[in-house]
Amino acid sequence: MFEKGQSKRIWGELYKVLDSSDVAIQVLDARDPQGTRCHHLEKHLKENCIHKHLILLLNKCDLIPAWATKGWLRVLSKEYPTLAFHASITKPFGKGSLLSVLRQFAQLKNDKQAISVGFIGYPNVGKSSVINTLRTKNDCKVAPVPGETKVWQYITLTKRIFLIDCPGVVYPNSDSETDIVLKGVVRVSNLQDASEHIGEVLRRVKREHLERAYKIKDWEDESDFLLKLCHLTGKLLKGGEPDLMTAAKMALHDWQRGKIPFFVPPPRLAEEDDNASKEPTDCEDGSDAAMKAIADVTSQQLNDTIPDASLNENNEEVDD
């Protein structure tokens, strides 16, 4: 189960998408951008696919404070064009900016009749939801659980832009089983012992956010937290015994769906770096005018009103 997204078939699908794409969009979870990023893949594109372009897309930006989103935009845009995004058919954010960037890339590739844009990233970061937002309809099957997309698929956006949806891929790293669960890689319903991952949730999330989410106070450890959660929500077995497993799965579902406030704060940039406005390094082989237009679009989001989670500005010290 914890090898999900690492099969030869999944990796084969990924490389098919990369081979077919002129532009690759790496969709990241805005709550933990570096934790859902694949430096191995970025290195592969730089070394072996120098004519392909990479965009970083901070999806689920509505789940974190606006200041954190803008901080990550400043940090990541020093490496690649980076946009914030909230996938929604009715109230999206970043859709116009992303469409504008894709049109600019289509102009860069004016020797081609159309460009292909591949969406890559971890399971459950919202790749299919982003595509559905761009299309304003549900072309790709989505679910709030990982692993819904099984094979890659082509979707027409415009006459000159085609989108490719790719299954989620888990990249080799040193993540523990709990890290994998909290990144949303595996389905909570498949966990044999969900309770063993609750301790890390309690460590990462500020106590006041958990108190607000569950109306629970004064727990001693994860076992006591789950016990109180069982009694509060009525998760009881026959004889009134607390159903700790069901309560743990409920909390993990809430974590994966963003109902429990959590985010990794962006690193602080030195003031001189922040003002340097360095252009992304992904811009060397195209028209200067088009690349400047792309840089302008990405930097404009720093002045936009970004969707803001209903969090306190004091959330800055949330642990990674």
Side-chain angles (χ1 to χ4, degrees), residues 11 41 69 81 84 115 121 143-144 187 189 197 200-201 211 242 273 279:
W11 277 96
L41 201 59
T69 300
I115 65 166
R187 298 192 185 210
S189 57
H197 308 294
E200 184 63 17
V201 173
E211 290 175 350
D273 290 341
E279 291 207 359

Side-chain angles (χ1 to χ4, degrees), residues 3 7 47 66 104 110 116 129-130 133 137 185 192 207 222 229 250 257-258 260 277 279 281 293:
E3 282 74 43
S7 68
E47 293 179 352
Q104 292 293 340
N110 55 15
S116 297
S129 296
V130 171
T133 298
K137 57 184 180 181
V185 172
Q192 291 184 340
R207 180 176 282 259
E222 59 264 35
L229 185 59
M250 182 182 72
R257 297 176 186 182
I260 299 177
S277 195
E279 291 207 359
T281 57

Side-chain angles (χ1 to χ4, degrees), residues 6-19 152 166-167 169:
Q6 301 180 35
S7 68
K8 288 183 178 178
R9 182 191 69 80
I10 293 291
W11 277 96
E13 296 288 322
L14 170 66
Y15 283 109
K16 284 180 190 175
V17 170
L18 291 179
D19 288 344
W152 70 313
C166 180
V169 177

Side-chain angles (χ1 to χ4, degrees), residues 157-288:
L157 181 61
T158 69
K159 289 181 179 179
R160 293 213 59 207
I161 303 174
F162 291 90
L163 310 178
I164 313 175
D165 193 17
C166 180
V169 177
V170 178
Y171 314 107
N173 54 40
S174 58
D175 283 350
S176 66
E177 290 186 355
T178 296
D179 290 330
I180 292 170
V181 170
L182 297 186
K183 284 183 181 181
V185 172
V186 300
R187 298 192 185 210
V188 171
S189 57
N190 293 340
L191 294 174
Q192 291 184 340
D193 186 3
S195 62
E196 66 183 6
H197 308 294
I198 296 299
E200 184 63 17
V201 173
L202 300 186
R203 190 187 74 81
R204 295 190 187 191
V205 181
K206 293 176 73 174
R207 180 176 282 259
E208 53 261 42
H209 297 324
L210 291 167
E211 290 175 350
R212 190 182 309 151
Y214 294 115
K215 307 296 186 290
I216 298 175
K217 293 187 177 182
D218 303 324
W219 63 87
E220 296 178 2
D221 53 23
E222 59 264 35
S223 298
D224 189 38
F225 175 82
L226 288 176
L227 188 64
K228 292 179 185 295
L229 185 59
C230 285
H231 288 295
L232 186 74
T233 58
K235 305 296 183 187
L236 303 174
L237 300 169
K238 289 182 179 179
E241 286 292 316
D243 189 350
L244 300 178
M245 185 65 64
T246 298
K249 288 186 176 182
M250 182 182 72
L252 291 176
H253 272 301
D254 289 345
W255 167 279
Q256 288 190 354
R257 297 176 186 182
K259 293 182 180 179
I260 299 177
F262 164 79
F263 66 96
V264 178
R268 296 187 183 280
L269 293 173
E271 190 173 347
E272 59 272 17
D273 290 341
D274 199 26
N275 294 331
S277 195
K278 176 183 162 188
E279 291 207 359
T281 57
D282 188 42
C283 308
E284 296 168 359
D285 66 333
S287 151
D288 288 343

